[in-house]
Amino acid sequence: GRLTRKPGLTFGYPVLDEQGNVVSVIGASVNLEDFNRRLAGAQLYQHTALLVLDANGTVVLRQPDPENFLGQSMADRPLVQHVVAHREGTIRRTGLDGVERLYAFTAIGPADAPRFHVLVGFDSAYIFAGVNRMLRSSLMGLSVIAVVALVAAWLSAEVMIVRRTQHVVNAALRMRA
């Protein structure tokens, strides 16, 4: 803001007369530092990041750690470039803080010129922890089954083939003698 020198969002709404002429404008401003402090008290998951960017790629809102990003242009970052180029979607990328996350994002505003981009990112390791745990236990189970199958095959081959063949060989040796 020009007066406060603090990052903020200013909104305006026109007041019209009967003919549709603008009589006055009602305005309001939201101090983004206060908004981020209030958002910090909200219950976000530990492995979650919330990011709101304006149309130019400037950070309007960031949780956690807003003080390091608020009001800074991130337009040169690959994550921000992808988000600005696409209206909505998901992407797995390294975030502004260097943590790889799975992001879901959408644009707010007109389709041809969105005013804001909202991103919610979840730590990839956290998201896939349950799947990875299930994969490890499945692989352990398959390994146990494979070992049991190999032992069973070895024992059955011993009993069904090797021992019977040994009996035939011993009989042949006795006949020769």
Side-chain angles (χ1 to χ4, degrees):
R2 290 182 185 164
L3 299 175
T4 63
R5 299 286 178 216
K6 293 182 179 183
L9 286 177
T10 304
F11 303 93
Y13 190 79
V15 177
L16 307 175
D17 62 10
E18 290 84 23
Q19 289 80 29
N21 299 319
V22 177
V23 177
S24 61
V25 176
I26 298 172
S29 181
V30 175
N31 181 330
L32 292 178
E33 290 173 347
D34 290 340
F35 191 68
N36 272 297
R37 269 195 298 278
R38 289 183 185 194
L39 185 62
Q43 294 288 9
L44 289 179
Y45 290 108
Q46 181 181 359
H47 304 282
T48 305
L50 174 65
L51 182 64
V52 178
L53 305 166
D54 69 5
N56 300 320
T58 302
V59 176
V60 174
L61 184 85
R62 167 81 162 95
Q63 281 301 328
D65 201 22
E67 55 276 353
N68 291 332
F69 300 99
L70 192 60
Q72 294 184 24
S73 176
M74 299 292 170
D76 60 336
R77 303 284 181 99
L79 172 66
V80 175
Q81 290 172 348
H82 180 85
V83 167
V84 171
H86 300 85
R87 183 154 178 84
E88 64 182 29
T90 58
I91 185 171
R92 188 174 177 179
R93 284 270 165 90
T94 301
L96 304 181
D97 56 357
V99 177
E100 183 177 300
R101 290 188 171 91
L102 179 62
Y103 286 94
F105 61 91
T106 189
I108 298 173
D112 57 341
R115 293 188 177 93
F116 296 101
H117 299 276
V118 179
L119 296 86
V120 178
F122 296 94
D123 188 347
S124 298
Y126 179 72
I127 289 175
F128 297 115
V131 173
N132 289 336
R133 190 171 40 253
M134 189 184 319
L135 177 64
R136 279 192 303 273
S137 66
S138 295
L139 288 176
M140 289 298 292
L142 286 173
S143 299
V144 168
I145 291 171
V147 168
V148 168
L150 286 173
V151 168
W154 179 74
L155 286 174
S156 64
E158 177 70 26
V159 170
M160 302 296 269
I161 299 170
V162 174
R163 287 186 184 170
R164 288 185 179 176
T165 305
Q166 192 64 40
H167 288 301
V168 170
V169 169
N170 288 338
L173 288 174
R174 281 192 309 262
M175 286 177 70
R176 186 180 73 179

